[in-house]
Amino acid sequence: MERLAREYLSGSLASSFTAAVFNPLEVVKTRLQLQGMPEMRRVYTSGFSNALRTIVREDGLLRLWRYGLVTIVARDFFYSGVRTGMYPTVRSIVASGRKAEDVSMMQKILAGAICGGVGSGLANPLDVVRVRMIADGGLVDLSTNTLRTGMRAGSAPRYH
């Protein structure tokens, strides 16, 4: 049990740290993907670097870590903990305790599919919330309770 916890935590913590560091890139990528969707303004017109500059200019550099940060860290904690951290244990169970070098390719694929499927199932709801929080991110005008910046500028915030 201690080995399983150690494997899970090593995968979870490493991936969560990486997600936190790269969250600004995720914010820009997600907003670029959402442009043109219903209720979303087309704000970013010249690619990734232009979108990054626009968000920093309008909302400030530190806001790039606010939008969706908690959900992406939680998502990666569950998803990667199961997907990568628990893979050695699941592979051992699938292969009936054989040594790692004696495990067949099919058994490795099955173990990977089990870990990936369970991890995705746990992470999917958090990913949906993450995308919605990134799309809804922006500075709020407290006098009108509407977003001043972001893809939904002029609308009431849904997630804050």
Side-chain angles (χ1 to χ4, degrees), residues 85-126:
M86 295 182 70
Y87 174 78
T89 299
V90 173
R91 182 189 62 210
S92 177
I93 292 168
V94 167
S96 302
R98 289 190 190 114
K99 293 180 182 178
E101 59 269 7
D102 296 333
V103 178
S104 74
M105 182 58 73
M106 283 308 297
Q107 290 170 323
K108 291 176 183 178
I109 290 170
L110 178 60
I114 290 169
C115 291
V118 171
S120 292
L122 290 171
N124 192 340
L126 290 168

Side-chain angles (χ1 to χ4, degrees), residues 45 60 65 112:
T45 56
W65 278 275

Side-chain angles (χ1 to χ4, degrees), residues 76-93:
D76 277 21
F77 187 85
F78 291 116
Y79 178 62
S80 294
V82 172
R83 184 177 54 89
T84 60
M86 295 182 70
Y87 174 78
T89 299
V90 173
R91 182 189 62 210
S92 177
I93 292 168

